[in-house]
Amino acid sequence: QVHMVESGGGLAQAGGSLRLSCTVSGSIGGINVMAWYRQAPGKQRELVAAMSSSGDTNYGDSVKGRFTISRDTAKNTVYLQMNSLKPEDTAVYYCNAELRRDMTPRFFPYWGQGTQVTVSS
């Protein structure tokens, strides 16, 4: 079994900050990329930020310079620091991990349950 627990969502005012975290636990053999996606009502899910196991990062254009992804490999945890929040950042944020189960060779994507972020103007 693999468990992904997200936390840190909530309500913030425009210009404010929030920090999301996502911890992966269970019978894990290895984790490659950990990422955050978001989905606003009526829109497709989009990449917010991603970090590889080697530390390479990739950000969506709309969050560059405002959001920072980080990762604690020992704790199998990924964080998303969100600063200078805007109302258009309002969405459900999903954690994603590309991982392989213990004693298996292949990597598959796993998703968290999502956490709501609401930014008021």
Side-chain angles (χ1 to χ4, degrees):
Q1 280 284 58
V2 174
H3 301 280
M4 299 179 69
V5 179
E6 301 162 342
S7 62
L11 178 65
Q13 290 188 332
S17 298
L18 285 173
R19 189 189 193 214
L20 306 182
S21 64
C22 172
T23 298
V24 183
S25 62
S27 57
I28 301 166
I31 302 177
N32 188 6
V33 176
M34 298 188 80
W36 291 95
Y37 287 75
R38 68 185 182 186
Q39 188 167 18
K43 295 188 176 181
Q44 288 188 329
R45 190 171 297 189
E46 64 175 357
L47 174 70
V48 177
M51 178 176 271
S52 70
S53 56
S54 61
D56 294 329
T57 59
N58 183 32
Y59 291 93
D61 289 340
S62 62
V63 306
K64 286 179 181 177
R66 299 188 298 122
F67 292 9
T68 302
I69 190 170
S70 60
R71 184 169 167 177
D72 186 332
T73 302
K75 295 181 179 179
N76 290 336
T77 298
V78 62
Y79 305 95
L80 184 68
Q81 179 65 44
M82 305 185 292
N83 298 328
S84 302
L85 284 163
K86 304 176 180 180
E88 50 263 44
D89 294 319
T90 296
V92 177
Y93 285 69
Y94 296 91
C95 177
N96 171 273
E98 185 181 78
L99 64 87
R100 64 178 179 85
R101 299 282 297 275
D102 195 21
M103 304 296 287
T104 65
R106 293 184 62 187
F107 286 82
F108 293 95
Y110 286 78
W111 293 90
Q113 79 282 0
T115 185
Q116 177 70 44
V117 171
T118 302
V119 183
S120 62
S121 58

